[in-house]
Amino acid sequence: LKDLVYRGRTVETQNGHIIDEAGDQSTRRAWVKAVYEDDEERTIVFQRSITSSGDSEYRINNRTVLLKTYNEALEKQDILVKAKNFLVFQGDVEAVASQSPKDLTRLIEQMSGSCDYQQEYSELERLQEAAAEKSTFAYNKKRAVAAEVQSIVEQAKELEQYEKKMQLRSTLTVQHMLFKLFVAEGRIRDIKQDIGALHGDSISHASQQRAQLDSALHAQQKAQAKAYKAVNRQERQIKLVEQNIETRQPRVVGLAEKVAHAQRKAKQIEENVTSAQADAVRQRSVVDELSAEHARVKEAETRFEQQCEASLAQRGSQLGDDTMAEYNRLSEQLRASSVDDTHRRDILDRSIQLLTEAARRASDRLDALQSRREGLVASEHSYSQQRQSATSDVAGIEQEIQQTRRDADAAKTEHERLVRVEIELNEKLAGVLKELSQARADQRESAREAKLKDTIGTLQRIFTGVHGRLSELCKPTQHKYDVGIATVLGRHMDAIVVDRQATAIECISYMKEQRAGQATFLPLDTLQPHQVNDGLRHAHRGARLATDVMQYDPSVEAAVMHACGNALICDTADIAKYICYERKLEAKAVSLDGTVIHRSGLITGGTSSGSGGHRAQAQRWEAA
């Protein structure tokens, strides 16, 4: 702090001499004074002095005080000495401006004095977090309680509806039983009247009627077999006829095509015959003209020869050499001039022969075409007859098919009637057998129940601490949980609850001596039931712990917890699957219909036909 006291300076004169202006350093002091006016308009003077030795002196209103008193007075006026809000050294402003946001925050907190409350703030923050955690826990607990209350209210509504429906069911059951009793009484009355009306040989008559009915049934079965055979035979015949139709159909189509071809060919032949006849007429006219011309030429030649011979005969020997020469010359000229006519005659002769031959061939061809036409006409007539015959055969076969189908439908209807009668008789027989089997099972179960009840009663009379069967010591809160609770209890349904292990051993020894059968005992003092997982209570809206839907005495709670554990009763099998497979909760889930999904993922379901099934066991609570 001595550095804050002014020491003076050295000054160089004009002559070059150096003068020290420090003077006497022993009497020099440094001080700072603050005049502060508070809210009540009182003036307070704060002064701090620094001596040459570096000591500090503190004054309030010119009165010397200690540092602690000085600082307390400043703090009362919200002035912090530690924040250096009096003395600002050179470079402090630049240093403060270059600080990081975190350091500036720390400086502001130090100047404002909030750093003194850091510990208190941390403690209050911890208390706030603890209070928030408690509040969240209380809120979640409140939600859970509200959900549980809502679930209980819904269960109460369901219970009320269920009770109403059970009352309605009881009323309807009573009415139904009364109606059955009424009908049974009427049948009994009718049977008594029939028995009173029967004579001594009525039983034999009934036996005869039964034998007649059996023989009629046998005959109907034979008729059914015959109908089966007839149907099969008719079906085979239908198939054969259909095959025959399919076989003949191409032939009929082929015959029709042949007839059409023959008709086209006959028409063409008629056109050819007409053309040949016209050609023959034309050729005949040409032949006649040529024949007439040939006859005229022959006649002229004969006449010319006769004239020549007559002239030669008249002249006789008057002809000389000149005449003969002239005759020969004229003959040569005649022959030369008649060569063309001869050649033309030969050509005409050949033409006549050719035309005659062509006319003959045309005539032969015309005869052949006419005979072929007659054959085609005959074939057409034959084909038409065959087609008509095939058409009539097809119509007859179709009628036979329709008749066969009608017979087959009738046989099928009769067969269906016989099948229905057989099914009805079998159903009646199955119902009677089922009722008989159920009656026998109920009889055996009743005997077993009676024996077990007698044994338990005897044990309760002889030994103290025997409570009874677990199924008698607990029951579901609602009847809809009967099957589910019975499934959860399973083999522990008939287990006998006792107080101590020694009592169970004594009971087992007694049962061995009396040969009273076997039984499972649950000693309350040695049972170690599983701890119930409270989180399973809110696993799903439609799922509940089995122990939450059961009524039992607190004294046997250990036995109930041992038998049930963390098993859940679910409204549907889908909820059970969701809990075990999607939520993957370690719990056994049982639906209301008795379907079980074990922890390992194994699924057990269905119903048991015997009296030991869960539904039969659940009937105990319904009977109670």
Side-chain angles (χ1 to χ4, degrees):
L1 294 175
K2 291 189 297 181
D3 295 338
L4 298 176
V5 180
Y6 180 73
R7 297 188 183 95
R9 61 180 180 174
T10 58
V11 180
E12 184 179 0
T13 63
Q14 295 179 355
N15 298 326
H17 299 285
I18 297 174
I19 299 174
D20 186 3
E21 293 180 353
D24 187 5
Q25 297 292 331
S26 61
T27 60
R28 289 186 177 277
R29 299 165 64 87
W31 54 270
V32 63
K33 181 187 292 185
V35 180
Y36 180 79
E37 184 177 350
D38 61 5
D39 295 337
E40 296 177 359
E41 297 183 354
R42 290 183 304 172
T43 303
I44 303 173
V45 178
F46 297 95
Q47 182 179 354
R48 179 183 178 183
S49 301
I50 302 173
T51 63
S52 58
S53 62
D55 296 331
S56 297
E57 182 182 10
Y58 301 95
R59 290 177 178 275
I60 300 176
N61 294 329
N62 294 324
R63 184 171 56 85
T64 304
V65 295
L66 298 175
L67 175 62
K68 182 178 180 181
T69 306
Y70 187 81
N71 288 335
E72 289 178 353
L74 289 173
E75 289 179 355
K76 286 182 180 178
Q77 303 302 327
D78 295 332
I79 299 173
L80 302 178
V81 179
K82 295 180 181 180
K84 301 179 182 180
N85 48 0
F86 280 154
L87 300 176
V88 180
F89 293 96
Q90 185 178 4
D92 284 354
V93 176
E94 183 179 358
V96 170
S98 63
Q99 286 182 357
S100 63
K102 186 175 181 181
D103 295 336
L104 284 174
T105 303
R106 187 182 300 109
L107 178 61
I108 292 171
E109 288 179 352
Q110 184 180 2
M111 292 176 62
S112 64
S114 61
C115 60
D116 296 336
Y117 302 99
Q118 182 176 2
Q119 185 176 1
E120 183 180 359
Y121 175 79
S122 300
E123 182 65 22
L124 292 176
E125 185 178 11
R126 185 183 62 80
L127 293 176
Q128 181 187 4
E129 291 178 355
E133 185 177 357
K134 289 182 180 179
S135 175
T136 303
F137 177 75
Y139 177 71
N140 292 333
K141 189 174 181 180
K142 181 180 178 181
R143 287 184 61 188
V145 170
E148 189 172 356
V149 169
Q150 186 179 2
S151 177
I152 292 172
V153 171
E154 291 178 356
Q155 291 182 11
K157 291 181 180 179
E158 291 179 0
L159 178 61
E160 184 178 358
Q161 294 179 358
Y162 183 77
E163 293 295 337
K164 290 181 181 179
K165 291 182 179 180
M166 287 301 298
Q167 291 178 1
L168 179 60
R169 177 189 174 188
S170 300
T171 304
L172 296 176
T173 303
V174 170
Q175 294 179 359
H176 180 64
M177 296 304 295
L178 289 174
F179 178 74
K180 290 178 70 175
L181 289 173
F182 175 75
V183 174
E185 288 179 356
R187 291 181 64 186
I188 290 171
R189 186 166 55 252
D190 295 338
I191 290 171
K192 286 182 178 179
Q193 292 177 1
D194 294 338
I195 291 173
L198 289 175
H199 298 288
D201 56 347
S202 297
I203 297 175
S204 60
H205 182 65
S207 300
Q208 291 178 0
Q209 287 183 350
R210 180 179 178 180
Q212 291 177 359
L213 291 175
D214 291 338
S215 61
L217 178 61
H218 187 63
Q220 289 293 335
Q221 290 177 351
K222 287 184 177 179
Q224 181 182 357
K226 290 181 180 179
Y228 267 132
K229 292 181 180 179
V231 169
N232 294 330
R233 187 169 56 253
Q234 293 294 337
E235 288 180 353
R236 287 196 298 270
Q237 290 180 359
I238 288 171
K239 289 181 180 179
L240 291 175
V241 170
E242 289 177 352
Q243 292 177 358
N244 191 8
I245 291 173
E246 291 177 356
T247 304
R248 290 186 177 184
Q249 192 68 26
R251 294 177 57 190
V252 173
V253 174
L255 291 175
E257 291 179 356
K258 288 182 179 180
V259 169
H261 179 68
Q263 290 177 352
R264 289 194 301 271
K265 205 164 185 181
K267 186 175 180 181
Q268 185 179 2
I269 290 172
E270 288 179 355
E271 292 177 355
N272 293 335
V273 167
T274 304
S275 176
Q277 288 177 352
D279 193 10
V281 170
R282 184 174 58 78
Q283 294 292 340
R284 283 194 187 96
S285 62
V286 172
V287 169
D288 293 337
E289 290 177 357
L290 294 175
S291 298
E293 187 176 358
H294 183 264
R296 285 196 303 272
V297 170
K298 285 286 187 183
E299 184 179 356
E301 182 180 3
T302 303
R303 192 167 52 253
F304 178 73
E305 289 178 354
Q306 289 176 359
Q307 289 177 359
C308 290
E309 290 176 356
S311 63
L312 288 175
Q314 288 176 3
R315 290 180 182 182
S317 59
Q318 293 178 2
L319 294 176
D321 294 332
D322 295 332
T323 305
M324 289 299 296
E326 182 67 20
Y327 173 76
N328 291 329
R329 187 179 61 81
L330 292 173
S331 296
E332 289 293 335
Q333 289 179 359
L334 179 62
R335 280 194 298 269
S337 60
S338 63
V339 169
D340 294 332
D341 296 334
T342 304
H343 182 64
R344 183 181 179 189
R345 185 190 64 184
D346 295 337
I347 292 174
L348 291 174
D349 289 339
R350 286 194 297 271
S351 297
I352 290 170
Q353 291 177 1
L354 291 174
L355 291 173
T356 303
E357 185 67 23
R360 186 181 60 79
R361 285 197 301 271
S363 178
D364 295 340
R365 186 179 178 186
L366 179 60
D367 295 337
L369 290 174
Q370 288 179 352
S371 61
R372 188 174 180 183
R373 177 184 178 186
E374 293 175 357
L376 290 174
V377 171
S379 299
E380 180 182 3
H381 182 66
S382 176
Y383 290 155
S384 299
Q385 290 180 352
Q386 290 180 5
R387 183 176 181 180
Q388 292 177 0
S389 176
T391 305
S392 61
D393 292 341
V394 169
I397 290 170
E398 288 179 352
Q399 291 179 0
E400 291 179 0
I401 291 173
Q402 292 177 359
Q403 182 64 30
T404 306
R405 286 178 178 172
R406 286 194 293 271
D407 295 341
D409 293 338
K412 187 176 181 180
T413 305
E414 181 66 18
H415 173 258
E416 291 177 354
R417 186 185 68 80
L418 294 175
V419 168
R420 287 196 298 271
V421 172
E422 183 179 1
I423 291 173
E424 292 176 358
L425 295 176
N426 289 332
E427 288 177 353
K428 290 181 181 179
L429 180 60
V432 173
L433 292 176
K434 185 177 180 180
E435 292 177 358
L436 182 60
S437 176
Q438 187 66 32
R440 291 175 181 173
D442 293 342
Q443 185 178 4
R444 289 195 298 270
E445 183 66 20
S446 300
R448 180 177 174 276
E449 287 288 327
K451 184 177 179 180
L452 186 58
K453 286 183 179 180
D454 293 340
T455 302
I456 294 174
T458 303
L459 293 177
Q460 289 177 342
R461 287 193 301 271
I462 297 175
F463 305 101
T464 59
V466 179
H467 295 279
R469 287 190 298 178
L470 182 61
S471 60
E472 296 175 351
L473 299 175
C474 64
K475 66 175 182 178
T477 57
Q478 300 181 28
H479 289 302
K480 69 177 183 178
Y481 300 126
D482 290 348
V483 176
I485 296 299
T487 305
V488 170
L489 295 178
R491 56 188 178 88
H492 296 296
M493 284 283 294
D494 294 329
I496 301 173
V497 182
V498 296
D499 287 338
R500 297 179 296 106
Q501 184 178 6
T503 304
I505 295 174
E506 292 175 356
C507 292
I508 292 172
S509 300
Y510 175 78
M511 293 180 69
K512 286 183 179 178
E513 292 174 358
Q514 299 296 325
R515 298 182 182 275
Q518 295 180 349
T520 302
F521 290 87
L522 299 176
L524 298 175
D525 59 341
T526 60
L527 289 176
Q528 296 180 355
H530 300 286
Q531 187 68 25
V532 177
N533 186 2
D534 293 334
L536 295 176
R537 285 190 169 92
H538 309 290
H540 196 275
R541 186 172 182 179
R544 306 164 186 84
L545 283 172
T547 54
D548 292 345
V549 294
M550 295 176 63
Q551 296 177 356
Y552 54 86
D553 192 84
S555 60
V556 297
E557 183 178 3
V560 175
M561 296 298 295
H562 173 76
C564 296
N566 289 325
L568 293 172
I569 302 297
C570 304
D571 292 341
T572 60
D574 294 334
I575 297 176
K577 293 177 182 178
Y578 172 76
I579 291 173
C580 293
Y581 295 149
E582 296 186 16
R583 294 286 302 276
K584 299 185 183 301
L585 297 178
E586 293 292 332
K588 180 172 71 174
V590 183
S591 63
L592 296 181
D593 59 356
T595 303
V596 185
I597 302 180
H598 300 272
R599 294 181 181 179
S600 61
L602 181 67
I603 301 178
T604 305
T607 56
S608 176
S609 59
S611 59
H614 297 151
R615 295 186 184 276
Q617 292 176 356
Q619 291 176 359
R620 300 174 184 173
W621 291 312
E622 293 182 2

